[in-house]
Amino acid sequence: MFDGERVLDGPVVVFVEDGRVLGVERGTAVPDGWPTRDLPGGTLLPGLIDAHVHLCADGTPGPLDRLAGHSAERLDATIEASLRAHLAAGVTTVRDLGDQDGAVLSWSSRATAGLPTVLGSGAPITTPGGHCRTMGGAARGVAELRAAVRRRAGQGAHVVKIMGSGGVMTPGTDTMRPQFTDEEMRAAVAEAHAAGLPVTVHAHALAAVRQAVDAGADGIEHCTCLTPSGVRVDDDLLGALAGAGVVVCPTLGSDPGFTVPPEIVAMAARAGLTQEALNEVVARLHAGGVRLVAGTDAGIGPPKPHGLLPVALREYAGCGMPATDVLAAATSAAAAACGVADRKGFVRPGHDADLLAVDGDPATDITALARPLAVYLAGTPVAAA
């Protein structure tokens, strides 16, 4: 078993009662009266956590641009289909970092049991004309940003998402520079913290990453560190990120069966978003002691389907991260970043019995994560992929 932090070799028995882990014992002894399921040759882990998804988006080409035209019923259906895909892959908790005008938050308030836990941000806060501007979160000026944060707090958001730079998926936005002023960013972060909410900032530009850190943001999404002369991650930035405990979600991962059209590859390359550059950033961040969590950006297009996380974790391992660090990035570290480490991300007494069993040992073969034997949600088995 990997318990969220360390590997326990040999047979392990996990006792589950009323949806929670009651106890963990080494060996094979089980008291009389306990129904059991034996998984020889398997490894048990906490249910995985994908810390960056877009549940309203269905993974077709350009889905974010079309969301404004979807009915509430269609959005609900897409959210539920997305969650079923995550659950089949062993993902039992997701953090949604950008919905259509609060659709995921609204769905969550009406959700029934049997699907992954959802922690949402609502619509991402962006500038008029900025990245993901059609999703209902445009704001400009200190007063508007503060009001936008308060609105999300009132909607039940678990985190505030701010589009600190432009993005490749929104033509006409600039991935090389911040979208907000320093004063606006500081005001938004202060308002969120006053409401008890963490802030994570989408930032491709190095200047946007530094702006978010200086403003006191809790997390950075992508953290690509683009400059006009290429990617640059210097020691000062690493020290600032690590020293402040900022959590970085690099959003690695793409469907290996999908061939990205050449024009998209060229557009991303012009923005400095090559796979080599992304891997270099992750390797530097990890070596610099920066807190990393795993997220996929699932839903934003065909290379990013929902349920991608087990495959995506191979890319994190390919950046030189030890397997146990990769596993923690998708379990205990992600739970801490999402504010649910008291009940998710570990196989420990008192924690939710969200569990994944895989065929093999992911601590020595990360591809084992893509071979689920069983998935449990609050102790209840669900169909494995």
Side-chain angles (χ1 to χ4, degrees):
M1 183 176 77
F2 175 76
D3 70 357
E5 290 182 328
R6 60 196 177 105
V7 175
L8 303 180
D9 292 326
V12 177
V13 178
V14 177
F15 294 89
V16 174
E17 187 173 60
D18 296 330
R20 295 184 179 273
V21 175
L22 182 66
V24 178
E25 300 288 344
R26 307 294 287 270
T28 60
V30 178
D32 292 341
W34 284 84
T36 63
R37 180 170 183 185
D38 193 19
L39 295 167
T43 297
L44 193 70
L45 307 93
L48 302 180
I49 299 172
D50 193 326
H52 189 134
V53 306
H54 296 278
L55 296 173
C56 287
D58 59 8
T60 57
L64 297 179
D65 295 334
R66 300 193 306 273
L67 291 180
H70 291 178
S71 66
E73 292 76 16
R74 180 171 178 178
L75 289 172
D76 282 354
T78 301
I79 291 166
E80 293 181 13
S82 301
L83 287 170
R84 284 192 291 271
H86 285 289
L87 188 57
V91 175
T92 55
T93 301
V94 300
R95 183 172 65 165
D96 187 278
L97 291 182
D99 67 14
Q100 182 62 39
D101 205 18
V104 168
L105 300 180
S106 175
W107 177 88
S108 295
S109 70
R110 298 175 274 107
T112 56
L115 291 172
T117 297
V118 178
L119 309 164
S121 70
I125 299 175
T126 190
T127 56
H131 182 41
C132 292
R133 56 184 173 264
T134 62
M135 296 173 73
R140 173 59 84 192
V142 167
E144 287 190 10
L145 264 74
R146 286 186 177 275
V149 170
R150 290 194 297 271
R151 184 159 56 252
R152 281 147 186 78
Q155 291 175 322
H158 301 87
V159 58
V160 172
K161 167 78 174 296
I162 301 175
M163 295 302 199
S165 74
V168 175
M169 302 298 292
T170 307
T173 63
D174 193 345
T175 58
M176 297 289 180
R177 64 184 62 185
Q179 293 198 135
F180 292 101
T181 67
D182 293 350
E183 183 184 18
E184 289 171 326
M185 184 63 72
R186 286 195 301 269
V189 172
E191 192 71 29
H193 288 172
L197 294 176
V199 174
T200 194
V201 178
H202 159 109
H204 286 303
L206 176 61
V209 173
R210 285 178 168 153
Q211 181 190 65
V213 174
D214 290 344
D218 305 277
I220 307 267
E221 306 303 309
H222 315 301
C223 198
T224 321
C225 299
L226 294 179
T227 74
S229 59
V231 169
R232 189 166 79 247
V233 185
D234 56 38
D235 290 343
D236 287 344
L237 179 63
L238 290 174
L241 290 166
V246 175
V247 177
V248 173
C249 181
T251 64
L252 294 184
S254 59
D255 182 354
F258 178 79
T259 300
V260 180
E263 62 272 18
I264 300 298
V265 173
M267 180 177 68
R270 286 194 297 272
L273 296 174
T274 65
Q275 190 63 53
E276 293 74 18
L278 297 177
N279 290 351
E280 175 191 348
V281 170
V282 174
R284 286 276 286 150
L285 292 170
H286 180 261
V290 177
R291 296 172 62 195
L292 297 177
V293 298
T296 61
D297 225 353
I300 65 169
K304 298 277 194 178
H306 293 286
L308 179 66
L309 186 59
V311 174
L313 292 177
R314 301 178 196 178
E315 294 189 21
Y316 288 85
C319 296
M321 292 177 63
T324 51
D325 288 355
V326 174
L327 296 175
T331 55
S332 58
C338 294
V340 292
D342 60 331
R343 58 191 179 96
K344 307 284 186 183
F346 296 90
V347 185
R348 287 181 178 172
H351 276 63
D352 293 347
D354 294 347
L355 305 168
L356 167 64
V358 299
D359 180 18
D361 180 5
T364 58
D365 174 16
I366 201 71
T367 67
L369 292 172
R371 301 190 297 271
L373 296 172
V375 181
Y376 292 84
L377 194 65
T380 299
V382 298

